[in-house]
Amino acid sequence: AQSVSQHNHHVILSEAASLELGCNYSYGGTVNLFWYVQYPGQHLQLLLKYFSGDPLVKGIKGFEAEFIKSKFSFNLRKPSVQWSDTAEYFCAGEKTSYDKVIFGPGTSLSVIP
Amino acid sequence: GAGVSQTPSNKVTEKGKYVELRCDPISGHTALYWYRQSLGQGPEFLIYFQGTGAADDSGLPNDRFFAVRPEGSVSTLKIQRTERGDSAVYLCASSLRRAGEQFFGPGTRLTVL
């Protein structure tokens, strides 16, 4: 069955530390990949997406993710986190021929001032 | 109000009762999705509408769950004979087209006592 896994359930970082959240997907073939973020008390919102082309994708608020097909990975990175990045982060994927979007279990990020 | 709206925001019901959850998508978005999110997990796909028709209902857990979108805009998720295990946040999302960026609503928190 298709699945998306996230390496960390809860990450705690100090401000200015670098962030990398792991994501792996089990799809074969061509895929669309996403990172969504949910700030406390807010809706899920799209952080960035990969559909095709440059495997290094830049999103909002300084986030980026790299699609590595050979590793079935789509890790999220940010060089220097801020307290306002405290949120729940979800990786998600779908086959481009349309299949339902599958979300990972989420990683809770806490940034300590 | 250009975002996806969901009503009610909270619903408490008793085991065995019937509930309806409503989703108002962004105007002009043809695709509409329902997800269920349990505590500590990512959103779980339930059903996808393209226009008025359910293009994929493979995520509905059983025949107690049903959803409609009669005019291709507002959608209602209906749950019959609710069970305690149905307690979760029910999320709605819409997108301009299939496989586009999904915009999420705030969710309805359903509690079955």
Side-chain angles (χ1 to χ4, degrees), chain A residues 42-82:
Chain A
Q42 296 188 25
H43 310 180
L44 268 169
Q45 60 183 282
L46 185 70
L47 201 53
L48 49 78
K49 62 189 176 188
Y50 171 79
F51 278 14
S52 63
D54 189 343
L56 185 60
V57 178
K58 294 192 184 298
I60 60 172
K61 304 187 180 185
F63 286 91
E64 65 178 30
E66 185 175 12
F67 169 59
I68 303 179
K69 189 173 182 179
S70 61
K71 295 184 178 181
F72 295 88
S73 70
F74 190 56
N75 292 355
L76 181 71
R77 299 194 293 249
K78 185 171 183 178
S80 176
V81 294
Q82 301 174 310

Side-chain angles (χ1 to χ4, degrees), chain A residues 6-8 10-11 13 19-23 35 47 63 74-78 87-91 107-109:
Chain A
Q6 294 183 237
H7 302 175
N8 310 96
H10 192 187
V11 173
L13 294 173
L19 170 72
E20 180 160 4
L21 301 182
C23 171
W35 276 97
L47 201 53
F63 286 91
F74 190 56
N75 292 355
L76 181 71
R77 299 194 293 249
K78 185 171 183 178
E88 191 86 17
Y89 292 81
F90 296 94
C91 183
T107 296
S108 176
L109 172 65

Side-chain angles (χ1 to χ4, degrees), chain B:
Chain B
V4 177
S5 62
Q6 293 184 246
T7 54
S9 55
N10 280 285
K11 176 70 178 178
V12 180
T13 190
E14 293 179 343
K15 180 175 178 296
K17 299 290 189 182
Y18 167 83
V19 297
E20 289 189 352
L21 312 179
R22 177 188 167 107
C23 172
D24 276 273
I26 293 172
S27 177
H29 281 193
T30 61
L32 185 145
Y33 311 79
W34 282 99
Y35 296 87
R36 178 169 68 176
Q37 186 174 19
S38 300
L39 194 63
Q41 297 182 22
E44 173 193 7
F45 171 84
L46 295 177
I47 186 169
Y48 154 61
F49 286 90
Q50 182 61 46
T52 60
D56 183 350
D57 64 357
S58 62
L60 295 177
N62 52 58
D63 61 5
R64 295 187 298 106
F65 289 74
F66 189 71
V68 295
R69 194 186 185 198
E71 298 178 357
S73 178
V74 171
S75 175
T76 305
L77 178 66
K78 308 180 181 191
I79 310 174
Q80 298 177 318
R81 305 184 303 280
T82 52
E83 299 177 357
R84 291 194 180 87
D86 299 334
S87 296
V89 176
Y90 289 82
L91 298 170
C92 176
S94 70
S95 65
L96 194 57
R97 54 176 173 78
R98 180 188 79 72
E101 175 184 349
Q102 294 185 26
F103 294 83
F104 282 82
T108 294
R109 183 176 298 279
L110 175 66
T111 303
V112 182
L113 300 176

